[in-house]
Amino acid sequence: MTKYTVRKYQKSDYTTWNAFIAQAKNATFLFHRDFMEYHADRFEDFSLLVFENQKVKAVLPLNKQGNLLYSHQGLTYGGLVYEGSTKLASVIEIFKAILFFLNENEFEKLHYKTIPSIYHLQPAEEILYSLFLAEAKLVRRDSLSVIDLSQEKNISKIRKRGFQKAISNQLIIKEENDFESFWNEVLIPNLAHKHQAKPVHSIVEMNQLKAHFPSNIYQFNVYAADKIVAGTTIFETETVAHCQYISKNEKQDNLGSLDYLFQYLIQERFAGKRFFDFGISNENQGKNLNEGLSYWKESFGAGTIIHDFYEVETANYSKLETVFI
Protein backbone atom coordinates (compact mmCIF):
# COMPACT_ATOMS: atom_id res chain seq x y z
CA MET A 1 0.00 0.00 0.00
CA THR A 2 1.08 3.59 -0.56
CA LYS A 3 0.01 6.93 0.80
CA TYR A 4 -0.09 8.35 -2.74
CA THR A 5 -3.01 8.25 -5.14
CA VAL A 6 -2.67 8.67 -8.90
CA ARG A 7 -5.20 9.74 -11.50
CA LYS A 8 -5.33 10.94 -15.08
CA TYR A 9 -5.34 14.68 -15.84
CA GLN A 10 -8.73 16.23 -16.65
CA LYS A 11 -9.50 19.63 -18.16
CA SER A 12 -10.83 20.75 -14.77
CA ASP A 13 -7.26 20.29 -13.42
CA TYR A 14 -5.92 23.08 -15.65
CA THR A 15 -5.43 25.65 -12.86
CA THR A 16 -4.21 23.09 -10.33
CA TRP A 17 -1.67 21.67 -12.78
CA ASN A 18 -0.26 25.06 -13.79
CA ALA A 19 -0.04 26.28 -10.19
CA PHE A 20 2.01 23.19 -9.33
CA ILE A 21 4.30 23.67 -12.33
CA ALA A 22 4.94 27.28 -11.29
CA GLN A 23 6.50 26.23 -7.99
CA ALA A 24 8.15 22.89 -8.86
CA LYS A 25 11.92 22.49 -8.64
CA ASN A 26 12.39 20.83 -12.03
CA ALA A 27 9.70 22.32 -14.28
CA THR A 28 9.82 24.82 -17.15
CA PHE A 29 7.16 26.61 -19.18
CA LEU A 30 7.04 23.63 -21.55
CA PHE A 31 4.99 21.83 -18.87
CA HIS A 32 2.35 24.58 -18.72
CA ARG A 33 -0.88 23.25 -20.16
CA ASP A 34 -1.00 26.06 -22.74
CA PHE A 35 2.26 24.78 -24.19
CA MET A 36 1.38 21.10 -23.94
CA GLU A 37 -1.97 21.59 -25.63
CA TYR A 38 -1.05 23.70 -28.66
CA HIS A 39 -0.75 20.39 -30.55
CA ALA A 40 -3.47 18.49 -28.67
CA ASP A 41 -4.83 17.22 -31.99
CA ARG A 42 -1.59 15.27 -32.55
CA PHE A 43 -1.22 13.62 -29.15
CA GLU A 44 -3.69 11.77 -26.93
CA ASP A 45 -2.91 13.16 -23.51
CA PHE A 46 -2.55 10.73 -20.62
CA SER A 47 -0.80 12.99 -18.10
CA LEU A 48 -0.93 12.03 -14.44
CA LEU A 49 -1.31 13.82 -11.13
CA VAL A 50 -0.09 12.29 -7.87
CA PHE A 51 -1.82 13.26 -4.62
CA GLU A 52 -1.16 12.92 -0.92
CA ASN A 53 -4.24 13.81 1.15
CA GLN A 54 -5.82 15.71 -1.76
CA LYS A 55 -2.65 17.78 -2.28
CA VAL A 56 -0.71 17.49 -5.54
CA LYS A 57 2.79 16.13 -4.88
CA ALA A 58 3.93 15.41 -8.45
CA VAL A 59 2.80 15.46 -12.08
CA LEU A 60 3.92 13.43 -15.08
CA PRO A 61 3.26 14.70 -18.63
CA LEU A 62 2.35 11.70 -20.80
CA ASN A 63 0.59 10.76 -24.00
CA LYS A 64 -0.51 7.39 -25.29
CA GLN A 65 -0.53 5.63 -28.65
CA GLY A 66 -2.82 2.65 -28.47
CA ASN A 67 -1.58 0.69 -25.48
CA LEU A 68 1.85 2.39 -25.52
CA LEU A 69 2.63 5.16 -23.07
CA TYR A 70 5.24 7.91 -23.52
CA SER A 71 6.71 10.88 -21.72
CA HIS A 72 4.87 13.53 -23.73
CA GLN A 73 6.18 13.24 -27.30
CA GLY A 74 5.29 16.84 -28.05
CA LEU A 75 7.89 18.08 -25.56
CA THR A 76 11.67 18.19 -25.95
CA TYR A 77 12.07 16.78 -22.45
CA GLY A 78 9.55 15.62 -19.89
CA GLY A 79 9.71 13.49 -16.80
CA LEU A 80 8.32 13.44 -13.29
CA VAL A 81 7.90 16.96 -11.89
CA TYR A 82 7.95 17.54 -8.14
CA GLU A 83 8.31 20.32 -5.59
CA GLY A 84 11.47 21.48 -3.87
CA SER A 85 10.74 19.86 -0.50
CA THR A 86 10.26 16.37 -2.00
CA LYS A 87 12.77 13.88 -0.56
CA LEU A 88 14.42 10.95 -2.35
CA ALA A 89 12.37 8.35 -0.47
CA SER A 90 9.16 10.17 -1.46
CA VAL A 91 10.11 10.21 -5.15
CA ILE A 92 10.72 6.45 -5.01
CA GLU A 93 7.27 5.96 -3.43
CA ILE A 94 5.64 8.30 -5.95
CA PHE A 95 7.25 6.48 -8.87
CA LYS A 96 6.14 3.14 -7.42
CA ALA A 97 2.57 4.46 -7.17
CA ILE A 98 2.70 5.61 -10.81
CA LEU A 99 4.00 2.28 -12.09
CA PHE A 100 1.36 0.43 -10.07
CA PHE A 101 -1.40 2.68 -11.47
CA LEU A 102 -0.20 2.14 -15.04
CA ASN A 103 0.11 -1.59 -14.52
CA GLU A 104 -3.44 -1.72 -13.14
CA ASN A 105 -4.57 0.14 -16.28
CA GLU A 106 -2.90 -2.51 -18.47
CA PHE A 107 0.06 -0.50 -19.74
CA GLU A 108 3.01 -2.88 -19.84
CA LYS A 109 5.78 -0.34 -20.42
CA LEU A 110 6.44 3.33 -19.79
CA HIS A 111 8.68 5.11 -22.30
CA TYR A 112 10.30 7.76 -20.12
CA LYS A 113 12.47 10.74 -21.07
CA THR A 114 14.27 12.71 -18.42
CA ILE A 115 14.58 16.44 -17.81
CA PRO A 116 18.24 17.43 -18.37
CA SER A 117 19.89 18.64 -15.19
CA ILE A 118 20.56 22.14 -16.54
CA TYR A 119 16.80 22.84 -16.41
CA HIS A 120 16.50 22.00 -12.71
CA LEU A 121 16.11 24.91 -10.31
CA GLN A 122 17.50 22.70 -7.54
CA PRO A 123 19.22 19.29 -7.68
CA ALA A 124 16.44 16.96 -8.86
CA GLU A 125 17.85 13.64 -10.02
CA GLU A 126 15.93 11.54 -7.51
CA ILE A 127 14.01 10.03 -10.41
CA LEU A 128 17.22 8.69 -11.98
CA TYR A 129 17.85 6.64 -8.85
CA SER A 130 14.23 5.50 -8.90
CA LEU A 131 14.57 4.38 -12.54
CA PHE A 132 17.69 2.42 -11.60
CA LEU A 133 15.84 0.67 -8.79
CA ALA A 134 12.98 -0.19 -11.16
CA GLU A 135 15.52 -1.71 -13.57
CA ALA A 136 14.62 0.71 -16.33
CA LYS A 137 16.45 0.11 -19.60
CA LEU A 138 18.41 2.96 -21.20
CA VAL A 139 17.22 3.05 -24.83
CA ARG A 140 18.47 6.40 -26.08
CA ARG A 141 21.06 8.97 -25.07
CA ASP A 142 21.33 12.42 -26.69
CA SER A 143 24.20 14.84 -26.20
CA LEU A 144 23.36 18.50 -25.59
CA SER A 145 26.03 21.09 -26.36
CA VAL A 146 25.92 23.46 -23.40
CA ILE A 147 27.90 26.51 -22.28
CA ASP A 148 28.15 27.22 -18.55
CA LEU A 149 27.79 30.99 -18.69
CA SER A 150 29.17 31.40 -15.16
CA GLN A 151 32.57 30.21 -16.43
CA GLU A 152 35.06 31.92 -18.70
CA LYS A 153 34.18 31.28 -22.37
CA ASN A 154 36.73 29.42 -24.50
CA ILE A 155 35.81 30.64 -27.98
CA SER A 156 37.94 29.35 -30.86
CA LYS A 157 39.93 31.57 -33.21
CA ILE A 158 37.77 30.55 -36.19
CA ARG A 159 34.63 31.83 -34.42
CA LYS A 160 36.38 35.10 -33.61
CA ARG A 161 37.41 35.48 -37.26
CA GLY A 162 33.81 34.90 -38.30
CA PHE A 163 32.70 37.60 -35.86
CA GLN A 164 35.14 40.09 -37.37
CA LYS A 165 34.01 39.13 -40.88
CA ALA A 166 30.41 39.87 -39.90
CA ILE A 167 31.40 43.31 -38.63
CA SER A 168 33.20 44.08 -41.89
CA ASN A 169 30.10 42.90 -43.77
CA GLN A 170 27.99 45.31 -41.68
CA LEU A 171 25.53 42.67 -40.55
CA ILE A 172 22.67 43.69 -38.27
CA ILE A 173 20.94 41.61 -35.58
CA LYS A 174 17.25 42.21 -34.92
CA GLU A 175 15.06 40.76 -32.17
CA GLU A 176 11.64 40.35 -33.77
CA ASN A 177 8.14 39.34 -32.69
CA ASP A 178 7.14 37.46 -35.84
CA PHE A 179 8.55 34.26 -37.28
CA GLU A 180 7.51 34.60 -40.94
CA SER A 181 10.80 35.85 -42.42
CA PHE A 182 12.99 33.29 -40.69
CA TRP A 183 10.60 30.39 -41.33
CA ASN A 184 9.81 31.15 -44.97
CA GLU A 185 13.14 32.51 -46.22
CA VAL A 186 15.68 30.52 -44.21
CA LEU A 187 14.46 27.64 -42.03
CA ILE A 188 11.91 25.89 -44.27
CA PRO A 189 14.10 26.01 -47.44
CA ASN A 190 17.15 24.76 -45.52
CA LEU A 191 15.37 21.85 -43.84
CA ALA A 192 13.74 20.85 -47.12
CA HIS A 193 17.05 20.97 -49.01
CA LYS A 194 19.34 19.34 -46.43
CA HIS A 195 17.05 16.92 -44.60
CA GLN A 196 13.84 16.67 -46.66
CA ALA A 197 12.10 17.77 -43.47
CA LYS A 198 9.88 20.51 -42.08
CA PRO A 199 10.11 22.46 -38.81
CA VAL A 200 8.34 20.76 -35.92
CA HIS A 201 6.38 23.99 -35.33
CA SER A 202 4.42 25.84 -38.00
CA ILE A 203 4.42 29.64 -38.14
CA VAL A 204 0.86 29.65 -36.80
CA GLU A 205 1.89 27.47 -33.85
CA MET A 206 4.93 29.63 -33.10
CA ASN A 207 2.82 32.79 -33.11
CA GLN A 208 0.33 31.08 -30.82
CA LEU A 209 3.08 29.98 -28.40
CA LYS A 210 4.71 33.42 -28.49
CA ALA A 211 1.35 34.98 -27.55
CA HIS A 212 1.06 32.60 -24.56
CA PHE A 213 4.71 32.88 -23.50
CA PRO A 214 6.05 36.30 -24.56
CA SER A 215 8.76 36.22 -21.87
CA ASN A 216 10.05 32.80 -22.86
CA ILE A 217 10.13 32.65 -26.67
CA TYR A 218 12.27 34.95 -28.82
CA GLN A 219 13.28 35.26 -32.45
CA PHE A 220 16.64 36.75 -33.48
CA ASN A 221 17.42 37.41 -37.14
CA VAL A 222 20.58 38.56 -38.92
CA TYR A 223 20.36 40.89 -41.92
CA ALA A 224 22.78 41.88 -44.67
CA ALA A 225 21.62 44.93 -46.61
CA ASP A 226 18.03 44.40 -45.40
CA LYS A 227 17.97 40.75 -46.49
CA ILE A 228 17.62 38.07 -43.82
CA VAL A 229 20.62 35.71 -43.90
CA ALA A 230 20.36 33.79 -40.62
CA GLY A 231 18.43 33.43 -37.39
CA THR A 232 17.68 31.44 -34.27
CA THR A 233 14.59 30.81 -32.14
CA ILE A 234 15.30 30.83 -28.40
CA PHE A 235 13.26 29.18 -25.65
CA GLU A 236 14.26 30.82 -22.37
CA THR A 237 13.68 29.18 -18.99
CA GLU A 238 14.79 30.33 -15.57
CA THR A 239 18.21 28.73 -15.92
CA VAL A 240 18.69 28.16 -19.66
CA ALA A 241 18.62 29.91 -23.02
CA HIS A 242 17.91 27.05 -25.45
CA CYS A 243 18.22 27.20 -29.24
CA GLN A 244 15.09 25.60 -30.65
CA TYR A 245 16.04 26.38 -34.26
CA ILE A 246 19.29 27.58 -35.85
CA SER A 247 19.67 28.20 -39.57
CA LYS A 248 21.43 30.40 -42.10
CA ASN A 249 20.92 31.09 -45.80
CA GLU A 250 23.19 28.54 -47.47
CA LYS A 251 23.10 30.46 -50.76
CA GLN A 252 24.90 33.43 -49.24
CA ASP A 253 28.68 33.55 -49.07
CA ASN A 254 30.01 32.91 -45.58
CA LEU A 255 29.27 36.28 -44.02
CA GLY A 256 30.00 35.26 -40.44
CA SER A 257 26.29 35.60 -39.69
CA LEU A 258 25.92 32.86 -37.08
CA ASP A 259 29.26 33.69 -35.43
CA TYR A 260 28.06 37.26 -35.06
CA LEU A 261 24.63 36.24 -33.79
CA PHE A 262 25.83 33.78 -31.16
CA GLN A 263 28.61 36.05 -29.95
CA TYR A 264 25.87 38.56 -29.17
CA LEU A 265 23.50 36.04 -27.58
CA ILE A 266 26.16 34.39 -25.41
CA GLN A 267 28.18 37.44 -24.41
CA GLU A 268 25.36 39.99 -24.12
CA ARG A 269 21.69 39.10 -24.51
CA PHE A 270 21.65 35.94 -22.35
CA ALA A 271 24.87 36.46 -20.41
CA GLY A 272 22.86 36.51 -17.16
CA LYS A 273 21.55 32.95 -17.64
CA ARG A 274 23.29 30.00 -16.01
CA PHE A 275 23.45 27.92 -19.22
CA PHE A 276 23.29 28.38 -22.98
CA ASP A 277 21.99 25.20 -24.66
CA PHE A 278 22.67 24.71 -28.38
CA GLY A 279 20.64 21.49 -28.32
CA ILE A 280 21.57 18.10 -29.76
CA SER A 281 23.75 17.10 -32.71
CA ASN A 282 22.45 13.52 -32.72
CA GLU A 283 20.45 11.46 -35.18
CA ASN A 284 19.12 7.90 -35.26
CA GLN A 285 17.86 7.90 -31.65
CA GLY A 286 21.22 9.12 -30.36
CA LYS A 287 23.24 6.42 -32.16
CA ASN A 288 24.89 8.88 -34.59
CA LEU A 289 26.67 12.19 -34.04
CA ASN A 290 26.83 14.99 -36.61
CA GLU A 291 30.50 15.64 -35.97
CA GLY A 292 30.68 18.93 -37.87
CA LEU A 293 27.66 20.37 -36.08
CA SER A 294 28.95 19.21 -32.71
CA TYR A 295 32.38 20.76 -33.40
CA TRP A 296 30.77 24.06 -34.45
CA LYS A 297 28.89 24.28 -31.12
CA GLU A 298 31.97 23.27 -29.14
CA SER A 299 33.99 26.00 -30.86
CA PHE A 300 31.89 28.53 -28.91
CA GLY A 301 33.03 26.85 -25.69
CA ALA A 302 30.22 24.30 -25.27
CA GLY A 303 30.64 21.00 -23.43
CA THR A 304 28.34 17.99 -23.22
CA ILE A 305 25.29 17.39 -21.02
CA ILE A 306 23.44 14.08 -21.42
CA HIS A 307 19.71 13.63 -22.04
CA ASP A 308 18.56 10.07 -21.34
CA PHE A 309 15.52 8.04 -22.45
CA TYR A 310 14.34 4.86 -20.72
CA GLU A 311 11.88 2.01 -20.98
CA VAL A 312 10.54 0.62 -17.73
CA GLU A 313 8.15 -2.29 -17.24
CA THR A 314 5.23 -1.17 -15.11
CA ALA A 315 5.22 -4.52 -13.29
CA ASN A 316 8.55 -3.47 -11.82
CA TYR A 317 6.73 -1.39 -9.22
CA SER A 318 7.28 -4.47 -7.09
CA LYS A 319 11.04 -3.90 -7.18
CA LEU A 320 10.50 -0.62 -5.30
CA GLU A 321 8.76 -2.34 -2.41
CA THR A 322 11.92 -3.72 -0.77
CA VAL A 323 14.21 -0.71 -1.18
CA PHE A 324 14.20 0.83 2.27
CA ILE A 325 16.30 -0.55 5.14
Side-chain angles (χ1 to χ4, degrees):
M1 297 295 293
T2 177
K3 61 183 177 179
Y4 297 104
T5 58
V6 182
R7 69 165 170 81
K8 185 175 177 291
Y9 172 84
Q10 304 165 2
K11 288 190 179 298
S12 58
D13 296 317
Y14 174 89
T15 301
T16 300
W17 177 287
N18 290 334
F20 184 82
I21 291 300
Q23 54 83 56
K25 72 173 179 176
N26 61 340
T28 72
F29 75 97
L30 271 68
F31 300 125
H32 192 286
R33 296 306 307 191
D34 288 343
F35 192 100
M36 291 178 61
E37 293 173 8
Y38 83 87
H39 44 24
D41 58 320
R42 278 185 262 163
F43 301 99
E44 185 177 353
D45 192 271
F46 201 88
S47 298
L48 303 178
L49 298 98
V50 183
F51 295 86
E52 181 184 9
N53 299 325
Q54 277 77 55
K55 182 182 179 185
V56 180
K57 302 301 290 185
V59 300
L60 181 57
L62 298 173
N63 70 278
K64 72 171 187 173
Q65 291 184 353
N67 63 346
L68 300 177
L69 205 56
Y70 296 88
S71 281
H72 204 291
Q73 293 170 293
L75 305 178
T76 307
Y77 45 82
L80 187 67
V81 176
Y82 36 93
E83 56 193 1
S85 61
T86 310
K87 303 296 189 286
L88 175 57
S90 297
V91 174
I92 295 170
E93 289 283 358
I94 288 168
F95 193 52
K96 180 178 73 174
I98 288 171
L99 292 180
F100 179 79
F101 173 83
L102 296 178
N103 189 258
E104 287 286 289
N105 282 273
E106 300 183 345
F107 292 102
E108 291 185 7
K109 289 184 179 180
L110 170 62
H111 299 263
Y112 186 100
K113 58 185 168 187
T114 59
I115 306 167
S117 59
I118 54 174
Y119 291 93
H120 301 170
L121 303 183
Q122 304 171 35
E125 294 191 342
E126 295 87 355
I127 188 60
L128 296 184
Y129 183 61
S130 305
L131 286 161
F132 161 73
L133 294 175
E135 298 184 4
K137 178 184 177 183
L138 178 67
V139 295
R140 173 178 168 181
R141 171 167 279 173
D142 286 342
S143 57
L144 310 179
S145 297
V146 176
I147 300 174
D148 184 340
L149 295 173
S150 69
Q151 305 295 318
E152 184 177 350
K153 286 72 168 180
N154 184 23
I155 301 174
S156 71
K157 291 180 180 178
I158 194 171
R159 298 283 74 82
K160 292 177 181 178
R161 288 199 296 270
F163 177 75
Q164 292 301 324
K165 184 186 293 186
I167 292 175
S168 65
N169 286 320
Q170 299 182 314
L171 301 188
I172 296 173
I173 298 170
K174 294 182 181 180
E175 182 174 340
E176 301 186 316
N177 288 321
D178 68 80
F179 302 91
E180 281 80 358
S181 295
F182 178 60
W183 248 247
N184 290 330
E185 298 180 46
V186 181
L187 184 62
I188 291 175
N190 275 0
L191 287 176
H193 175 68
K194 296 173 71 174
H195 303 287
Q196 296 77 52
K198 296 179 180 180
V200 173
H201 304 88
S202 69
I203 295 173
V204 172
E205 289 171 340
M206 286 306 304
N207 286 330
Q208 179 183 342
L209 289 172
K210 174 69 173 175
H212 280 300
F213 304 101
S215 300
N216 300 104
I217 299 175
Y218 301 94
Q219 180 63 41
F220 298 91
N221 295 330
V222 184
Y223 291 86
D226 296 325
K227 179 173 177 58
I228 186 170
V229 294
T232 187
T233 310
I234 299 289
F235 283 10
E236 182 184 4
T237 67
E238 193 161 337
T239 58
V240 182
H242 165 70
C243 303
Q244 186 70 22
Y245 296 104
I246 305 170
S247 197
K248 69 175 182 178
N249 190 329
E250 300 292 343
K251 295 180 181 178
Q252 297 284 332
D253 293 330
N254 185 5
L255 303 171
S257 56
L258 290 181
D259 293 332
Y260 190 51
L261 175 58
F262 284 99
Q263 172 84 3
Y264 164 70
L265 296 177
I266 293 164
Q267 301 286 357
E268 297 182 41
R269 181 63 174 78
F270 295 108
K273 292 279 108 176
R274 177 66 197 279
F275 299 105
F276 191 90
D277 175 17
F278 281 102
I280 68 171
S281 303
N282 308 101
E283 298 176 16
N284 188 25
Q285 298 292 298
K287 295 292 181 66
N288 295 112
L289 177 70
N290 184 326
E291 187 178 4
L293 182 58
S294 179
Y295 173 81
W296 177 79
K297 295 170 181 177
E298 290 170 339
S299 67
F300 285 98
T304 299
I305 293 289
I306 290 303
H307 185 199
D308 282 343
F309 300 69
Y310 293 89
E311 274 183 15
V312 57
E313 294 183 16
T314 60
N316 285 4
Y317 72 84
S318 61
K319 298 184 182 297
L320 303 180
E321 293 178 339
T322 57
V323 170
F324 304 114
I325 56 175

PDB file of all heavy atoms in Angstrom, residues 12 21 27 37 41 56 71 79 113 131 169 172 223 236 244 316:
ATOM      1  N   SER A  12     -10.537  19.979 -15.990  1.00  0.00           N
ATOM      2  CA  SER A  12     -10.829  20.746 -14.774  1.00  0.00           C
ATOM      3  C   SER A  12      -9.599  20.911 -13.882  1.00  0.00           C
ATOM      4  O   SER A  12      -9.617  21.703 -12.937  1.00  0.00           O
ATOM      5  CB  SER A  12     -11.947  20.062 -13.978  1.00  0.00           C
ATOM      6  OG  SER A  12     -11.580  18.739 -13.642  1.00  0.00           O
ATOM      7  N   ILE A  21       3.141  23.467 -11.456  1.00  0.00           N
ATOM      8  CA  ILE A  21       4.303  23.667 -12.334  1.00  0.00           C
ATOM      9  C   ILE A  21       5.052  24.941 -11.958  1.00  0.00           C
ATOM     10  O   ILE A  21       6.285  24.982 -11.971  1.00  0.00           O
ATOM     11  CB  ILE A  21       3.849  23.728 -13.817  1.00  0.00           C
ATOM     12  CG1 ILE A  21       3.352  22.355 -14.283  1.00  0.00           C
ATOM     13  CG2 ILE A  21       4.967  24.231 -14.717  1.00  0.00           C
ATOM     14  CD1 ILE A  21       4.366  21.246 -14.210  1.00  0.00           C
ATOM     15  N   ALA A  27      10.653  22.068 -13.190  1.00  0.00           N
ATOM     16  CA  ALA A  27       9.700  22.324 -14.277  1.00  0.00           C
ATOM     17  C   ALA A  27      10.128  23.553 -15.072  1.00  0.00           C
ATOM     18  O   ALA A  27      10.855  24.421 -14.574  1.00  0.00           O
ATOM     19  CB  ALA A  27       8.297  22.539 -13.715  1.00  0.00           C
ATOM     20  N   GLU A  37      -0.740  21.806 -24.884  1.00  0.00           N
ATOM     21  CA  GLU A  37      -1.974  21.586 -25.629  1.00  0.00           C
ATOM     22  C   GLU A  37      -2.056  22.324 -26.960  1.00  0.00           C
ATOM     23  O   GLU A  37      -3.079  22.241 -27.642  1.00  0.00           O
ATOM     24  CB  GLU A  37      -3.164  21.951 -24.736  1.00  0.00           C
ATOM     25  CG  GLU A  37      -3.317  20.987 -23.557  1.00  0.00           C
ATOM     26  CD  GLU A  37      -4.370  21.405 -22.551  1.00  0.00           C
ATOM     27  OE1 GLU A  37      -5.102  22.369 -22.846  1.00  0.00           O
ATOM     28  OE2 GLU A  37      -4.447  20.780 -21.481  1.00  0.00           O
ATOM     29  N   ASP A  41      -4.250  18.055 -30.939  1.00  0.00           N
ATOM     30  CA  ASP A  41      -4.833  17.221 -31.993  1.00  0.00           C
ATOM     31  C   ASP A  41      -3.885  16.115 -32.447  1.00  0.00           C
ATOM     32  O   ASP A  41      -4.303  15.143 -33.069  1.00  0.00           O
ATOM     33  CB  ASP A  41      -5.224  18.099 -33.192  1.00  0.00           C
ATOM     34  CG  ASP A  41      -4.040  18.866 -33.764  1.00  0.00           C
ATOM     35  OD1 ASP A  41      -3.206  19.352 -32.969  1.00  0.00           O
ATOM     36  OD2 ASP A  41      -3.944  18.986 -34.991  1.00  0.00           O
ATOM     37  N   VAL A  56      -1.563  17.964  -4.450  1.00  0.00           N
ATOM     38  CA  VAL A  56      -0.711  17.488  -5.537  1.00  0.00           C
ATOM     39  C   VAL A  56       0.743  17.450  -5.071  1.00  0.00           C
ATOM     40  O   VAL A  56       1.271  18.434  -4.557  1.00  0.00           O
ATOM     41  CB  VAL A  56      -0.831  18.389  -6.782  1.00  0.00           C
ATOM     42  CG1 VAL A  56       0.065  17.865  -7.905  1.00  0.00           C
ATOM     43  CG2 VAL A  56      -2.269  18.470  -7.265  1.00  0.00           C
ATOM     44  N   SER A  71       6.479   9.508 -22.147  1.00  0.00           N
ATOM     45  CA  SER A  71       6.711  10.883 -21.721  1.00  0.00           C
ATOM     46  C   SER A  71       6.328  11.755 -22.908  1.00  0.00           C
ATOM     47  O   SER A  71       6.733  11.478 -24.039  1.00  0.00           O
ATOM     48  CB  SER A  71       8.187  11.108 -21.393  1.00  0.00           C
ATOM     49  OG  SER A  71       8.515  10.615 -20.122  1.00  0.00           O
ATOM     50  N   GLY A  79       9.794  14.583 -17.755  1.00  0.00           N
ATOM     51  CA  GLY A  79       9.711  13.494 -16.803  1.00  0.00           C
ATOM     52  C   GLY A  79       8.862  13.876 -15.615  1.00  0.00           C
ATOM     53  O   GLY A  79       8.023  14.782 -15.693  1.00  0.00           O
ATOM     54  N   LYS A 113      11.317   9.881 -20.784  1.00  0.00           N
ATOM     55  CA  LYS A 113      12.465  10.740 -21.066  1.00  0.00           C
ATOM     56  C   LYS A 113      12.679  11.684 -19.900  1.00  0.00           C
ATOM     57  O   LYS A 113      11.722  12.188 -19.289  1.00  0.00           O
ATOM     58  CB  LYS A 113      12.306  11.495 -22.387  1.00  0.00           C
ATOM     59  CG  LYS A 113      11.092  12.396 -22.534  1.00  0.00           C
ATOM     60  CD  LYS A 113      11.041  12.946 -23.955  1.00  0.00           C
ATOM     61  CE  LYS A 113       9.709  13.617 -24.240  1.00  0.00           C
ATOM     62  NZ  LYS A 113       9.583  14.002 -25.664  1.00  0.00           N
ATOM     63  N   LEU A 131      14.552   5.158 -11.293  1.00  0.00           N
ATOM     64  CA  LEU A 131      14.568   4.382 -12.538  1.00  0.00           C
ATOM     65  C   LEU A 131      15.558   3.219 -12.440  1.00  0.00           C
ATOM     66  O   LEU A 131      15.287   2.113 -12.910  1.00  0.00           O
ATOM     67  CB  LEU A 131      14.929   5.292 -13.712  1.00  0.00           C
ATOM     68  CG  LEU A 131      13.836   6.258 -14.170  1.00  0.00           C
ATOM     69  CD1 LEU A 131      14.442   7.399 -14.983  1.00  0.00           C
ATOM     70  CD2 LEU A 131      12.772   5.535 -14.994  1.00  0.00           C
ATOM     71  N   ASN A 169      31.232  43.014 -42.843  1.00  0.00           N
ATOM     72  CA  ASN A 169      30.101  42.901 -43.774  1.00  0.00           C
ATOM     73  C   ASN A 169      28.890  43.714 -43.329  1.00  0.00           C
ATOM     74  O   ASN A 169      27.842  43.677 -43.984  1.00  0.00           O
ATOM     75  CB  ASN A 169      29.696  41.438 -43.933  1.00  0.00           C
ATOM     76  CG  ASN A 169      30.680  40.643 -44.775  1.00  0.00           C
ATOM     77  OD1 ASN A 169      31.193  41.140 -45.772  1.00  0.00           O
ATOM     78  ND2 ASN A 169      30.967  39.411 -44.371  1.00  0.00           N
ATOM     79  N   ILE A 172      23.504  43.120 -39.331  1.00  0.00           N
ATOM     80  CA  ILE A 172      22.670  43.687 -38.273  1.00  0.00           C
ATOM     81  C   ILE A 172      21.835  42.586 -37.647  1.00  0.00           C
ATOM     82  O   ILE A 172      21.247  41.749 -38.354  1.00  0.00           O
ATOM     83  CB  ILE A 172      21.737  44.778 -38.834  1.00  0.00           C
ATOM     84  CG1 ILE A 172      22.564  45.955 -39.373  1.00  0.00           C
ATOM     85  CG2 ILE A 172      20.760  45.267 -37.762  1.00  0.00           C
ATOM     86  CD1 ILE A 172      21.728  46.997 -40.090  1.00  0.00           C
ATOM     87  N   TYR A 223      20.614  40.297 -40.608  1.00  0.00           N
ATOM     88  CA  TYR A 223      20.355  40.890 -41.924  1.00  0.00           C
ATOM     89  C   TYR A 223      21.640  41.423 -42.545  1.00  0.00           C
ATOM     90  O   TYR A 223      22.504  41.966 -41.852  1.00  0.00           O
ATOM     91  CB  TYR A 223      19.343  42.039 -41.804  1.00  0.00           C
ATOM     92  CG  TYR A 223      17.947  41.567 -41.460  1.00  0.00           C
ATOM     93  CD1 TYR A 223      17.577  41.365 -40.132  1.00  0.00           C
ATOM     94  CD2 TYR A 223      17.012  41.315 -42.458  1.00  0.00           C
ATOM     95  CE1 TYR A 223      16.304  40.920 -39.805  1.00  0.00           C
ATOM     96  CE2 TYR A 223      15.736  40.880 -42.140  1.00  0.00           C
ATOM     97  CZ  TYR A 223      15.384  40.681 -40.818  1.00  0.00           C
ATOM     98  OH  TYR A 223      14.123  40.237 -40.499  1.00  0.00           O
ATOM     99  N   GLU A 236      13.564  30.433 -23.595  1.00  0.00           N
ATOM    100  CA  GLU A 236      14.258  30.819 -22.369  1.00  0.00           C
ATOM    101  C   GLU A 236      13.511  30.308 -21.139  1.00  0.00           C
ATOM    102  O   GLU A 236      12.314  30.552 -20.976  1.00  0.00           O
ATOM    103  CB  GLU A 236      14.395  32.344 -22.276  1.00  0.00           C
ATOM    104  CG  GLU A 236      15.146  32.790 -21.039  1.00  0.00           C
ATOM    105  CD  GLU A 236      15.223  34.301 -20.875  1.00  0.00           C
ATOM    106  OE1 GLU A 236      14.610  35.031 -21.694  1.00  0.00           O
ATOM    107  OE2 GLU A 236      15.883  34.772 -19.922  1.00  0.00           O
ATOM    108  N   GLN A 244      16.066  26.529 -30.092  1.00  0.00           N
ATOM    109  CA  GLN A 244      15.088  25.596 -30.645  1.00  0.00           C
ATOM    110  C   GLN A 244      15.333  25.375 -32.129  1.00  0.00           C
ATOM    111  O   GLN A 244      15.199  24.263 -32.636  1.00  0.00           O
ATOM    112  CB  GLN A 244      13.670  26.108 -30.397  1.00  0.00           C
ATOM    113  CG  GLN A 244      12.575  25.150 -30.805  1.00  0.00           C
ATOM    114  CD  GLN A 244      12.498  23.928 -29.900  1.00  0.00           C
ATOM    115  OE1 GLN A 244      12.954  23.943 -28.756  1.00  0.00           O
ATOM    116  NE2 GLN A 244      11.928  22.848 -30.414  1.00  0.00           N
ATOM    117  N   ASN A 316       7.381  -3.616 -12.681  1.00  0.00           N
ATOM    118  CA  ASN A 316       8.550  -3.467 -11.815  1.00  0.00           C
ATOM    119  C   ASN A 316       8.292  -2.549 -10.620  1.00  0.00           C
ATOM    120  O   ASN A 316       9.225  -2.238  -9.873  1.00  0.00           O
ATOM    121  CB  ASN A 316       9.740  -2.964 -12.621  1.00  0.00           C
ATOM    122  CG  ASN A 316      10.335  -4.045 -13.497  1.00  0.00           C
ATOM    123  OD1 ASN A 316       9.807  -5.160 -13.550  1.00  0.00           O
ATOM    124  ND2 ASN A 316      11.418  -3.746 -14.186  1.00  0.00           N
TER     125      ASN A 316
END
